[in-house]
């Protein structure tokens, strides 16, 4: 924004050189992914989180009772709300959902956020699982898979020339050591395990409702 100041010189109005205002406080600190604002905010991570919060929600929960033939088993329910962008008459019968993805035989995830970012992370997770199987001859533990993906997300918050992934993930799986597990991850790479996990628009209320 340019401001023009007038000054009196020799009885006439003379336009002073334009005075340029500096950039806003936010613009000073959001140019690089690894640059902290004075209050500790990483604005690029904040923007990625906003993209997740504006996305259709997903959720998962460990369910006890009502699972299996006897109705008293334990399992996992994963749900996603999908907004169809293509009219039904134009969709193929086998059109894939963009919110639910199988990572391995024992792990699935539901994603909220920027779809291309989601697909990139799903591909990364599948590669990690395949490498673990090839190296150790067994499925990758769920928690280890979550940690590997979270490390990848976190790496994109601290290197120049990159940007955080605009995704929130809900990961659900089963392994012999820890049984049924549900995790959620945010764009910063933080992850937490719980009996209920959610991401996307209205995630806090959705967690309370599912719980």
């Amino acid at each position: 924004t340019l401001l023009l100041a007038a000054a009196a010189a020799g009885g006439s109005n003379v336009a002073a050189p334009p005075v340029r205002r500096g950039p806003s406080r936010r613009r000073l600190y959001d140019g690089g992914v690894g640059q902290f604002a004075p209050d500790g905010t990483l604005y690029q991570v904040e923007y990625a989180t906003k993209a997740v919060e504006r996305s259709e929600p997903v959720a998962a929960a460990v369910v006890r009772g009502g699972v299996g033939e006897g109705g008293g088993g334990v399992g996992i329910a994963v749900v996603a709300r999908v907004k169809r962008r293509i009219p039904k008459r134009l969709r193929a019968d086998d059109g894939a959902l963009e919110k639910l993805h199988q990572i391995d035989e024992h792990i699935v995830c539901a994603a909220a956020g920027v779809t291309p970012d989601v697909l990139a992370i799903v591909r990364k997770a599948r590669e990690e699982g395949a490498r673990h199987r090839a190296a150790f001859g067994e499925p990758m533990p769920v928690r280890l898979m979550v940690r590997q993906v979270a490390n990848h997300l976190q790496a994109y918050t601290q290197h120049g020339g990159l940007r955080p992934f605009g995704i929130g993930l809900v990961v659900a799986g089963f392994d012999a050591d820890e049984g049924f597990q549900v995790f959620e991850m945010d764009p910063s790479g933080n992850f937490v395990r719980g009996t209920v996990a959610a991401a996307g628009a209205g995630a806090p209320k959705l967690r309370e409702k599912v719980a």
Side-chain angles (χ1 to χ4, degrees):
T1 302
L2 298 179
L3 299 179
L4 295 179
S12 63
N13 292 331
V14 178
V19 179
R20 188 177 298 274
R21 281 182 177 173
S24 68
R25 179 181 180 86
R26 180 177 288 262
R27 287 180 56 200
L28 287 172
Y29 301 103
D30 72 353
V33 68
Q35 188 173 13
F36 285 92
D39 62 359
T41 301
L42 280 172
Y43 285 120
Q44 292 293 327
V45 174
E46 185 178 275
Y47 299 154
T49 302
K50 290 294 184 183
V52 175
E53 292 174 351
R54 295 175 60 183
S55 177
E56 297 294 328
V58 296
V62 177
V63 180
R64 300 183 183 278
V67 178
E69 294 182 0
V74 180
I76 292 177
V78 183
V79 296
R81 180 173 153 186
V82 179
K83 184 177 181 180
R84 295 291 191 179
R85 297 180 177 84
I86 302 175
K88 184 176 181 179
R89 67 181 185 277
L90 300 179
R91 293 198 306 266
D93 292 337
D94 60 348
L97 294 175
E98 61 184 30
K99 307 287 282 187
L100 303 176
H101 305 272
Q102 184 166 1
I103 304 300
D104 205 336
E105 294 176 352
H106 63 303
I107 302 175
V108 297
C109 78
V114 182
T115 300
D117 287 8
V118 171
L119 298 179
I121 290 299
V122 167
R123 183 172 61 250
K124 172 69 175 176
R126 288 171 177 167
E127 291 171 354
E128 292 289 343
R131 276 196 289 266
H132 187 92
R133 280 183 180 272
F136 301 102
E138 63 181 17
M140 193 174 198
V142 180
R143 182 180 291 273
L144 180 57
M145 172 69 77
V146 170
R147 184 180 296 115
Q148 293 288 80
V149 173
N151 287 343
H152 187 67
L153 293 176
Q154 193 277 330
Y156 274 68
T157 70
Q158 65 180 32
H159 295 293
L162 304 176
R163 67 159 176 81
F165 288 93
I167 65 172
L169 284 181
V170 169
V171 180
F174 174 88
D175 58 50
D177 292 332
E178 298 192 53
F180 291 101
Q181 301 157 69
V182 169
F183 294 85
E184 64 180 72
M185 276 183 278
D186 64 27
S188 71
N190 282 327
F191 68 90
V192 62
R193 180 180 177 182
T195 56
V196 176
K205 291 184 179 179
L206 186 57
R207 288 187 202 97
E208 293 179 4
K209 188 173 182 179
V210 174

